[in-house]
Amino acid sequence: MGETTVGQWFGPLVRWALVTRESVDDVAGSVVTLLTDFGLSDTFVGQMKGEMLSRTPGLTLVDLTHQVPPQSILIGALHLRAAWSAFPPGTVHLVVVDPGVGSDRRAIALSWQGHYFVGPDNGVLDGALDGAEPDDVIEIDPRQLHAERISRTFHGRDLFAPAAAELAGGRSLSDLGSVVDPRSLVRVDVPRAFRDGDTVHGTILIIDHYGNGITNIAAHLLEGAVARGIEVQCGEFRCSGLAASYAAAESDEALALISSMDTLELAVRDGAAATRYDLQTGAEVTVQFS
Amino acid sequence: MGETTVGQWFGPLVRWALVTRESVDDVAGSVVTLLTDFGLSDTFVGQMKGEMLSRTPGLTLVDLTHQVPPQSILIGALHLRAAWSAFPPGTVHLVVVDPGVGSDRRAIALSWQGHYFVGPDNGVLDGALDGAEPDDVIEIDPRQLHAERISRTFHGRDLFAPAAAELAGGRSLSDLGSVVDPRSLVRVDVPRAFRDGDTVHGTILIIDHYGNGITNIAAHLLEGAVARGIEVQCGEFRCSGLAASYAAAESDEALALISSMDTLELAVRDGAAATRYDLQTGAEVTVQFS
Amino acid sequence: MGETTVGQWFGPLVRWALVTRESVDDVAGSVVTLLTDFGLSDTFVGQMKGEMLSRTPGLTLVDLTHQVPPQSILIGALHLRAAWSAFPPGTVHLVVVDPGVGSDRRAIALSWQGHYFVGPDNGVLDGALDGAEPDDVIEIDPRQLHAERISRTFHGRDLFAPAAAELAGGRSLSDLGSVVDPRSLVRVDVPRAFRDGDTVHGTILIIDHYGNGITNIAAHLLEGAVARGIEVQCGEFRCSGLAASYAAAESDEALALISSMDTLELAVRDGAAATRYDLQTGAEVTVQFS
């Protein structure tokens, strides 16, 4: 068998494999998550996905949630904080809670701990950074995206989704716009819990789907709680001790435990604490050590 | 190295690569969108996806929305109109808003501008066509799908999803049924806006997730609005001028602007116009030029 | 062309192809379905997907529903029963309706008719088994998952999703934990319909998105209904005969027909029977043969 013959078969095979891979397989496994306040009753989310798949076929698209209360940057940031690190390095997180769309707020993309984040510069991406300085930040330049149209009301589809798709497809951050000073980023103001002697003061950040009140009181602020005993209060909600799990309480009983976000959670076994005790986002929570 | 030796390795490699590709990779990147009135509280959508992945592994499945009001062909058509063109050519759009399931309404599939559309012949697919004649239309022949069962209540799973999966997997339209005269298609009656002298008369088509009223008044009917000034009215909703973006209004202020669908949109900055002014689908909207 | 030269090209090509495939393509087409009571307003579902994609890139993830009423094992089981068999063999069904999370209820994975099922041992997986003995069952051993952390409140993310991803990625059931006696599985108590002379007694199991009442009366219990005629009653809901499809009734008319799950369904043409007649899950249904 001569070299020519091998080349006749071998070259095309390699090229065929490479070309096919370039078009789809190179990005197979590339993940883009979506987090918005768009809801699910319109096709806004679908349109963003269409734009991304048009640019970068083969992407894996994962919804975080689209039920952020309209224009609530804080809730968007908190959901991002809860979820981003569950994804593999290289994931692009597309976050669109954007009350300032069409204004001069910046459209940014940044890298942080091996992940990418794309969204408006209004603090919502700070949910992932939590005050830290990202590795790199750019302001997205629409010209680098060769977008056909950019509406004044839907940058999610026309600007952010294209940028996310380009990043997921392998384009570099620096290729999509000009460098931004990380210190100039808008930050989100998440209420902080603190300990004052034998009392920890905190706040309910989110009421979850089950009606649990997820607070900002980190587990480390409650060190010694099991041994010493604590009293937890939030309005009419009161309970004693830190439960190991929901199953540690009787049915219908109020309990406090460490949530899946590693913060204090107010719950009712087999019930909805928020409904029972009228818990609200922003309500004050106190933990009194015995 | 002899030919035999090369063949021993080379042949199997090529076959292995080809076979694997045929089973999954050939359709990697093939997109099917889903648009229904099935809601998300049952597994109807999941069952359709299961049927499709059983026929064509590796498909990329994208939800447009499943919150079309039950049996509302018009709203289904409008959502399809808003979203289909964001997807890459070759995409199959599976649309199931099907009050006539089990009757003699036809089950059709058609091609149009490089996309495929599958659904009942009740006008819902006309959302994409907007009155135009598609390139090709067939009536789906269940025998061509080799479906095991076809229920009388769930053609989405038993007929439309299989047809969509076959198209996405590479089967031709003509292979799935018999040709239909495009002029025989059922059309949807979308209210049309019109200009009468200095007044444009239109209608609210959709209330979106934010409570914005999306009208049928296309941007081109409003040419000169910025220069001349306009008064927009819909019941108690009134505002002056055409805003460039939400950010152009004060918080809580009523405004009118061009939506992401390139039509007039009635909004309240940081609020829900539909709730504030009791906007309803079908309500009359007038735009008066100064 | 010498052997060495061929080897220089051939070996790396094969390795490149194999390595790339192992990392992503080997599981391309592997499907994991998700069925939970997590709702969509938090990122719980997204976090589970992130954990799975971190372990097994390239998975196809399909939501069945996340709107199971909180902690309702029965409804979860019924949704699983309706949907699992639409998926291809090899699919992993991840089911998390888990009121006992953090207690000593077992975390299990099992194989049945070529599919895998992962979830708590509380009866929810019995929706697929319907009382049958699965082929193999194991109790998931967290050490086999090398999980970094296992919270007390979110085994969906920390235990079940990792196990599902490992199975979908090719690990064997026996590799993930120790064998469990199938006869020790917790079962779900689905009310059974029965025929007593000329009367069939049943129950409404689910109210679907359209407000149809889906009963537990299997089609075979209604043999002869069309020929002999039947009267169907459930509280104020009454109708005569078994309709072939919704389209067989007048608009607004009550009708009974065979659902897509092959059981009796109570409906109102173009309306919501549950609202009209106050149908509830658990309500008694009688079918009287003429």
Side-chain angles (χ1 to χ4, degrees), chain A residues 17-18 20-30 57 168-169, chain C residues 16 20:
Chain A
L18 286 171
T20 310
R21 287 190 173 279
E22 272 172 20
S23 55
V24 176
D25 289 7
D26 268 6
V27 301
S30 287
Chain C
W16 160 79
T20 310

Side-chain angles (χ1 to χ4, degrees), chain C residues 106-109 136-144 173-181:
Chain C
R106 295 183 295 193
I108 58 173
D136 292 291
V137 196
I138 58 115
E139 179 170 0
I140 299 166
D141 181 347
R143 290 165 301 182
Q144 299 302 320
L173 209 51
S174 60
D175 196 35
L176 294 180
S178 50
V179 172
V180 162
D181 181 347

Side-chain angles (χ1 to χ4, degrees), chain B residues 125-157:
Chain B
L125 300 184
D126 195 29
L129 300 172
D130 202 13
E133 280 199 10
D135 298 325
D136 292 292
V137 196
I138 57 115
E139 179 170 0
I140 299 167
D141 181 347
R143 290 165 302 183
Q144 299 302 321
L145 297 171
H146 307 292
E148 284 174 40
R149 55 167 179 187
I150 297 192
S151 70
R152 299 296 295 266
T153 59
F154 195 4
H155 286 187
R157 177 192 65 193

Side-chain angles (χ1 to χ4, degrees), chain C residues 169-189:
Chain C
R171 270 179 81 180
S172 67
L173 209 51
S174 60
D175 196 35
L176 294 180
S178 50
V179 172
V180 162
D181 181 347
R183 289 167 300 181
S184 71
L185 291 180
V186 175
R187 298 293 180 166
V188 69
D189 187 21

Side-chain angles (χ1 to χ4, degrees), chain B residues 115-286:
Chain B
H115 292 236
Y116 295 96
F117 300 85
V118 177
D121 180 26
N122 60 16
V124 73
L125 300 184
D126 195 29
L129 300 172
D130 202 13
E133 280 199 10
D135 298 325
D136 292 292
V137 196
I138 57 115
E139 179 170 0
I140 299 167
D141 181 347
R143 290 165 302 183
Q144 299 302 321
L145 297 171
H146 307 292
E148 284 174 40
R149 55 167 179 187
I150 297 192
S151 70
R152 299 296 295 266
T153 59
F154 195 4
H155 286 187
R157 177 192 65 193
D158 302 335
L159 200 59
F160 296 120
E166 295 290 339
L167 287 171
R171 270 180 81 180
S172 67
L173 210 50
S174 60
D175 196 34
L176 294 180
S178 51
V179 172
V180 162
D181 181 348
R183 289 167 300 180
S184 71
L185 291 180
V186 175
R187 298 293 181 166
V188 69
D189 187 20
V190 181
R192 304 269 164 185
F194 61 95
R195 183 163 175 170
D196 179 12
D198 279 346
T199 309
V200 178
H201 298 271
T203 304
I204 292 183
L205 292 181
I206 286 188
I207 304 294
D208 76 10
H209 174 69
Y210 298 93
N212 300 315
I214 312 297
T215 77
N216 61 349
I217 301 174
H220 69 81
L221 287 174
L222 299 174
E223 250 171 52
V226 173
R228 293 178 55 187
I230 53 172
E231 296 290 323
V232 179
Q233 187 185 352
C234 177
E236 299 298 310
F237 179 100
R238 289 159 184 273
C239 73
S240 298
L242 192 61
S245 75
Y246 303 118
E250 300 295 315
S251 195
D252 254 2
E253 192 185 354
L255 73 155
L257 74 176
I258 300 302
S259 77
S260 64
M261 291 176 68
D262 260 333
T263 60
L264 189 71
E265 169 179 335
L266 313 188
V268 166
R269 172 86 196 269
D270 301 333
T275 312
R276 184 79 55 85
Y277 296 106
D278 196 28
L279 302 183
Q280 307 274 353
T281 298
E284 195 181 334
V285 178
T286 57

Side-chain angles (χ1 to χ4, degrees), chain A residues 1-276:
Chain A
M1 188 179 181
E3 193 177 343
T4 319
T5 313
V6 168
Q8 278 176 333
W9 286 90
F10 201 60
L13 173 66
V14 172
R15 274 196 299 279
W16 160 79
L18 286 171
V19 165
T20 310
R21 287 190 173 279
E22 272 172 20
S23 55
V24 176
D25 289 7
D26 268 6
V27 301
S30 287
V31 180
V32 178
T33 76
L34 298 93
L35 172 57
T36 76
D37 62 350
F38 291 171
L40 295 173
S41 56
D42 301 292
T43 65
F44 300 138
V45 174
Q47 290 179 56
M48 290 202 300
K49 291 178 178 175
E51 290 294 336
M52 288 196 276
L53 292 168
S54 293
R55 285 178 180 262
T56 312
L59 288 176
T60 295
L61 302 170
V62 180
D63 299 306
L64 295 186
T65 181
H66 301 291
Q67 310 284 24
V68 172
Q71 282 112 27
S72 176
I73 292 165
L74 174 60
I75 300 290
L78 293 171
H79 280 309
L80 179 62
R81 180 200 281 186
W84 74 273
S85 64
F87 287 82
T91 295
V92 180
H93 302 280
L94 170 58
V95 187
V96 191
V97 180
D98 192 16
V101 60
S103 73
D104 58 359
R105 67 94 188 86
R106 295 183 295 192
I108 58 173
L110 60 88
S111 62
W112 168 240
Q113 300 203 345
H115 292 236
Y116 295 96
F117 300 85
V118 177
D121 179 26
N122 61 16
V124 73
L125 300 184
D126 195 29
L129 300 172
D130 201 13
E133 280 199 8
D135 298 325
D136 292 291
V137 196
I138 58 115
E139 179 170 0
I140 299 167
D141 181 347
R143 291 166 300 183
Q144 299 302 320
L145 297 171
H146 307 291
E148 284 174 39
R149 55 167 179 186
I150 297 193
S151 70
R152 298 297 293 266
T153 59
F154 195 4
H155 285 187
R157 177 192 65 193
D158 302 335
L159 200 59
F160 296 120
E166 295 290 340
L167 286 171
R171 271 180 80 180
S172 67
L173 210 51
S174 60
D175 196 35
L176 294 180
S178 51
V179 172
V180 162
D181 181 348
R183 289 167 300 181
S184 72
L185 291 180
V186 176
R187 299 293 181 165
V188 69
D189 187 20
V190 181
R192 304 270 165 185
F194 61 96
R195 183 163 175 169
D196 179 13
D198 279 345
T199 310
V200 178
H201 298 271
T203 304
I204 291 183
L205 292 181
I206 286 188
I207 304 294
D208 77 10
H209 174 69
Y210 298 93
N212 300 316
I214 311 298
T215 76
N216 61 349
I217 300 174
H220 68 81
L221 287 174
L222 299 174
E223 250 172 51
V226 173
R228 292 179 55 187
I230 52 173
E231 296 289 323
V232 179
Q233 187 185 353
C234 177
E236 299 298 310
F237 179 100
R238 288 160 185 273
C239 73
S240 297
L242 192 61
S245 75
Y246 303 119
E250 300 295 314
S251 195
D252 254 2
E253 192 185 354
L255 73 155
L257 74 176
I258 300 301
S259 77
S260 64
M261 292 176 68
D262 260 333
T263 60
L264 189 71
E265 170 180 334
L266 313 188
V268 166
R269 173 86 195 269
D270 301 333
T275 312
R276 184 79 56 84

